[in-house]
Amino acid sequence: MSFSHFLRIEREGKAGSKHYIVHTVDPRFSVELTPDRDVPDKIGKGVIKRIRLPNSWAGDYSKSAKLIGPAQDFFARTFAPAVPKGFTQRLTQ
């Protein structure tokens, strides 16, 4: 799956950091996640704390619901080790 429509925002606060995954195209929504401390890598796919959806007069929330799993996958991938820059440049040529 392409993760090009997802964005991770991390905000530092007094209670620690908060992680938000935002879906930037329709259907727009955001998910607040915290790293899962019970898994071996201490991050996992994250534990959902809050989901924010725009109000829909039609109640068509199933489109957003289908993207919650991919949003959690994107969250886990953002903590993966970075690929060396030289390797990414060779792939784009």
Side-chain angles (χ1 to χ4, degrees):
M1 165 168 222
S2 172
F3 292 120
S4 62
H5 297 152
F6 289 105
L7 172 70
R8 182 171 71 93
I9 300 170
E10 183 175 355
R11 297 185 69 185
E12 294 291 332
K14 293 179 183 178
S17 63
K18 293 184 178 185
H19 303 271
Y20 300 92
I21 302 298
V22 179
H23 191 253
T24 58
V25 296
D26 285 334
R28 289 185 168 91
F29 66 91
S30 66
V31 181
E32 182 182 344
L33 298 157
T34 59
D36 188 357
R37 302 293 178 204
D38 295 334
V39 296
D41 68 354
K42 302 293 183 199
I43 296 170
K45 289 187 173 186
V47 177
I48 297 174
K49 292 188 72 173
R50 185 175 297 129
I51 299 174
R52 295 184 182 207
L53 302 167
N55 194 12
S56 172
W57 65 271
D60 192 11
Y61 300 113
S62 61
K63 293 178 184 176
S64 299
K66 292 176 187 175
L67 294 168
I68 300 298
Q72 286 183 290
D73 292 337
F74 176 77
F75 175 76
R77 282 201 175 182
T78 60
F79 288 99
V83 177
K85 188 171 184 176
F87 183 72
T88 58
Q89 288 177 344
R90 281 182 280 171
L91 292 176
T92 59
Q93 292 178 354

